[in-house]
Amino acid sequence: MTEPSRAKALLPDRHPTGDFFVCDIFGASPKDDLGSMEHPIFSLSTRPDRRILRYDHNGVSVEVTPSVRGRATIHDKDILIYCISQLVAALNAGRSITRRLTLRAHDLLVATNRDTSGDSYTRLKEAFERLAGTRITTNLETGGVETTSGFGLIEAWEIRRRSRGGRMISVSVTLSDWLFRAVQAKSVLTLSRDYFRLRKPLERRVYELARKHCGRQPEWTVSVTTLHKKSGSAAPVRVFRAALRRMAAENHLPGYEMVEEPGDLFHFSRRGAVIESNDAPILSPDALEAARGLWAGVDVYALEAEWRAVWARSGQALKDPDRAFLGWVKKRRTAG
């Protein structure tokens, strides 16, 4: 699919001015927590989903119980991504953080590429209700601590608005301790801003899984049955498989190619990823750690992959790959 065709398949970029990166106090790139990227917590349904979801995989058990308003959806998760992004940016700036955040609803809507009409504020309130009402019981580890406990995705929320039906002035959100520990441990990954332009819930979920599993490795091959389980889809496997095939044909997952392979498998790889060879430069762990110091909060493995692609196109021989990489990181950060 060509770039113009891919652009038509996505939602329009409603706020192209770059407001997404500017929050009330600091700039923040979109971050998602590793736990909910790996395991199916959010509903992919567009209708109220009142099913109890039970999931067991590799020693991790998750049970998600909805409220009468239904389970929190993958689109409701935008709120958590926005909150995580702000907190991680604050940590990187050396500021103290708490589980309670105060933010402007308009900023959240703009950051997540949503309309800012009156209906959007109503839908935002409904999303808060589903997030607070959805209860999770799990032994999932965050921040190096494994506990079996039950909690809501958010503990509390509060909306202040002008009297007589006026618009929201501010929103206060208290995150669960489980999610806050993930932020403190920086158990997060950076998302493409185009994540918020993906129309379908399954597209968002599959992108999350591709982003998680292609974090350092350039590619990931997974069976349809495993992907079905990890996605949390309620559709029959045959229907799910057909949806994956359509997704692969449309080919607009941000940053990733998706190809069906024999054996009921799907292969994910970074767009423009460089195939490793004996001539490829090898970076030391010290260089990657230095890159983290130069650009706090960045996904250094994504930077490494991008730099390798630049190196492959240049065809240059490198005497000191670490020095070349760190010099490129400095320029890349300045360029934004």
Side-chain angles (χ1 to χ4, degrees):
M1 179 180 287
T2 63
E3 287 300 323
S5 299
R6 186 178 297 117
K8 290 180 181 178
L10 298 172
L11 290 167
D13 188 352
R14 297 189 175 102
H15 312 285
T17 59
D19 289 341
F20 176 84
F21 300 101
V22 182
C23 300
D24 286 335
I25 302 175
F26 43 76
S29 57
K31 306 284 185 183
D32 200 353
D33 73 286
L34 293 175
S36 66
M37 291 178 77
E38 171 70 11
H39 306 291
I41 291 176
F42 296 88
S43 172
L44 306 183
S45 176
T46 56
R47 298 179 180 179
D49 186 349
R50 299 185 179 90
R51 298 173 302 115
I52 295 177
L53 181 144
R54 294 182 177 87
Y55 170 86
D56 292 280
H57 189 73
N58 292 339
V60 174
S61 65
V62 179
E63 182 175 284
V64 187
T65 305
S67 69
V68 294
R69 297 190 178 276
R71 185 153 52 104
T73 71
I74 195 76
H75 286 94
D76 296 341
K77 190 182 183 182
D78 290 356
I79 294 172
L80 301 185
I81 292 173
Y82 181 77
C83 292
I84 291 169
S85 304
Q86 290 198 65
L87 292 176
V88 171
L91 279 177
N92 292 338
R95 304 189 182 198
S96 59
I97 60 173
T98 66
R99 289 193 294 137
R100 183 180 174 88
L101 298 86
T102 300
L103 49 98
R104 290 201 314 158
H106 179 270
D107 292 346
L108 189 156
L109 293 173
V110 169
T112 54
N113 197 45
R114 297 190 180 199
D115 290 321
T116 54
S117 62
D119 288 344
S120 294
Y121 289 87
T122 300
R123 289 194 291 270
L124 192 60
K125 176 178 175 293
E126 293 169 352
F128 280 121
E129 292 173 339
R130 285 189 294 269
L131 286 168
T134 299
R135 304 295 300 178
I136 298 172
T137 303
T138 183
N139 65 343
L140 190 59
E141 179 182 308
T142 60
V145 177
E146 180 185 326
T147 55
T148 299
S149 59
F151 50 86
L153 290 166
I154 59 176
E155 284 195 4
W157 59 277
E158 178 184 87
I159 293 174
R160 296 183 61 215
R161 65 169 69 238
R162 299 191 186 280
S163 58
R164 299 181 182 178
R167 281 196 172 186
M168 299 178 185
I169 300 173
S170 66
V171 178
S172 295
V173 184
T174 303
L175 301 181
S176 67
D177 184 61
W178 173 78
L179 189 57
F180 189 65
R181 283 204 310 269
V183 172
Q184 289 179 307
K186 294 189 178 179
S187 298
V188 299
L189 283 177
T190 304
L191 303 181
S192 166
R193 184 177 181 238
D194 283 340
Y195 168 84
F196 298 114
R197 298 180 63 198
L198 293 172
R199 295 176 181 273
K200 300 174 184 177
L202 183 59
E203 291 175 335
R204 292 188 171 206
R205 182 65 187 129
V206 169
Y207 168 80
E208 279 190 323
L209 288 167
R211 178 70 186 89
K212 168 65 172 59
H213 288 278
C214 292
R216 180 165 193 179
Q217 60 187 4
E219 55 189 9
W220 176 51
T221 301
V222 60
S223 69
V224 169
T225 52
T226 298
L227 192 56
H228 181 260
K229 181 180 180 180
K230 281 180 170 288
S231 73
S233 172
V237 174
R238 60 178 180 80
V239 175
F240 178 77
R241 183 184 295 107
L244 292 179
R245 286 172 175 166
R246 287 193 297 272
M247 200 181 304
E250 291 168 351
N251 190 28
H252 59 243
L253 286 186
Y256 296 98
E257 301 277 356
M258 178 181 176
V259 178
E260 186 175 9
E261 293 189 344
D264 210 23
L265 303 172
F266 276 87
H267 177 81
F268 295 85
S269 60
R270 298 193 191 109
R271 295 189 189 278
V274 179
I275 299 175
E276 297 289 342
S277 70
N278 292 333
D279 296 328
I282 298 174
L283 297 178
S284 70
D286 289 342
L288 295 176
E289 189 61 34
R292 288 190 181 93
L294 291 172
W295 196 343
V298 76
D299 181 350
V300 295
Y301 302 120
L303 275 183
E304 178 186 11
E306 186 179 347
W307 175 74
R308 287 180 182 276
V310 172
W311 166 81
R313 290 194 296 269
S314 72
Q316 294 179 346
L318 297 176
K319 293 182 179 180
D320 189 341
D322 286 358
R323 182 177 179 181
F325 171 65
L326 294 174
W328 176 86
V329 169
K330 292 177 183 178
K331 293 180 180 178
R332 177 69 174 77
R333 181 185 181 188
T334 301

